[in-house]
Amino acid sequence: MEIDRDECVGCGRCIPYCPVGAITMEGDVSRVDLDECVECGNCRRSADCPTDAIYQQELVYPRTVRSLMSDVLTIAEESQISGRGTEEMKTNEVTGRFRLGEAGVAIEVGRPCLGARLYDVEKIAQAVAKIGVTFEPQNPVTSMMADTSTGKFKEDLLNEKVLSAIIEFSVKLEQLPRVFELLRDVAGKIETVFSLDLATKIAPDGSVPTDPYVAQAGLRVAPNGKTNVGLGRPLFEGRSGR
Ligand code: SF4
Ligand code: SF4
């Protein structure tokens, strides 16, 4: 995003709307630090600039991934998918992606608040790739990898900054301790933060199969549930008992 210096009147209204602090005053006008800007579009959409000085410059690959991963209104031309991850993980009761005995794992890199360079997302992907995970093919982050077996990203994307990027895969429940161990180790080697999401099918007795693993690792759970009524595809047909 850029600001037209001739139009800007320096009111400063746009500054607090930037989630990564990329807008600062420079003399009497404001400017965007393009290296830090994640192209989320928030300043242009929400700040109600009195002179309409904020404008979207032409985005050329690889910068386009900033917008794709940071602005929920941007749709990827290749996949026609918007957003940072896949909806599927949140609707497991209708998609059936994760079975009993499995856990869906999403690592939200850059959340909360900081944003992330893709070289840090790569470090995390490479760490968990050591246990042979299959990264979710529908996820835009997976399409940024040059090698999905190692988690290696395409070289030209590594310095791009995004609001957040979600790495997705599923594992057997008994692999969770190793996943936690690898994430703890790589957490000290990156410049940003991440949140860890676990999705699981509730056991017939009502218990949450991932809970004992999380407790054993000394992690704190913030339970989150979603109920979808009449949505989704009936992928569970013919698969009962799995
Ligand atoms: S809101 Fe518009 S006029 Fe005010 S500082 Fe930002 S760009 Fe300049
Ligand atoms: S597009 Fe987003 S990141 Fe870039 S300056 Fe505007 S609010 Fe900040």
Side-chain angles (χ1 to χ4, degrees):
M1 198 65 66
E2 295 203 50
I3 290 172
D4 185 334
R5 294 176 64 86
D6 294 331
E7 295 295 327
C8 176
V9 293
C11 68
R13 190 185 295 178
C14 52
I15 293 174
Y17 285 91
C18 180
V20 293
I23 309 176
T24 53
M25 291 302 292
E26 190 177 78
D28 294 339
V29 294
S30 62
R31 70 175 280 272
V32 175
D33 180 340
L34 287 177
D35 187 44
E36 293 297 326
C37 170
V38 294
E39 301 294 354
C40 70
N42 204 34
C43 53
R44 191 161 69 111
R45 260 198 308 274
S46 309
D48 195 21
C49 172
T51 59
D52 214 10
I54 307 168
Y55 67 96
Q56 180 66 71
Q57 81 280 30
E58 186 187 359
L59 296 179
V60 177
Y61 180 90
R63 194 172 178 88
T64 43
V65 302
R66 297 191 185 218
S67 173
L68 176 63
M69 302 301 289
S70 310
D71 185 341
V72 289
L73 300 182
T74 301
I75 294 176
E77 268 180 38
E78 320 80 55
S79 62
Q80 291 296 299
I81 294 172
S82 67
R84 300 173 267 259
T86 61
E87 288 293 321
E88 302 282 295
M89 147 162 242
K90 300 177 190 164
T91 55
N92 196 53
E93 73 276 29
V94 287
T95 61
R97 186 193 280 185
F98 314 123
R99 305 294 172 182
L100 272 177
E102 296 175 352
V105 180
I107 305 159
E108 302 196 37
V109 193
R111 259 186 182 169
C113 300
L114 287 185
R117 296 279 172 185
L118 290 178
Y119 54 67
D120 275 339
V121 183
E122 180 193 59
K123 280 183 197 161
I124 298 171
Q126 288 182 316
V128 295
K130 287 178 189 159
I131 58 169
V133 302
T134 301
F135 294 106
E136 169 52 44
Q138 295 297 317
N139 183 307
V141 171
T142 306
S143 71
M144 295 177 192
M145 295 178 189
D147 182 351
T148 53
S149 67
T150 63
K152 175 84 190 130
F153 273 46
K154 293 168 186 167
E155 207 64 38
D156 53 359
L157 293 177
L158 289 178
N159 201 41
E160 294 303 323
K161 182 173 179 177
V162 299
L163 202 51
S164 73
I166 304 177
I167 300 167
E168 274 182 87
F169 55 90
S170 60
V171 291
K172 299 285 183 204
L173 288 173
E174 55 271 22
Q175 290 178 293
L176 281 176
R178 182 68 178 135
V179 171
F180 298 154
E181 189 185 339
L182 291 165
L183 290 178
R184 275 211 163 101
D185 180 55
V186 77
K189 299 173 180 167
I190 58 174
E191 298 166 359
T192 186
V193 294
F194 61 81
S195 305
L196 174 63
D197 307 333
L198 296 177
T200 188
K201 190 170 161 62
I202 302 295
D205 66 1
S207 64
V208 181
T210 50
D211 276 358
Y213 295 92
V214 173
Q216 199 177 22
L219 297 171
R220 188 176 59 84
V221 180
N224 194 355
K226 199 168 192 176
T227 303
N228 299 296
V229 180
L231 301 174
R233 290 164 283 136
L235 292 185
F236 268 22
E237 273 183 15
R239 295 184 181 187
S240 58
R242 291 184 60 190

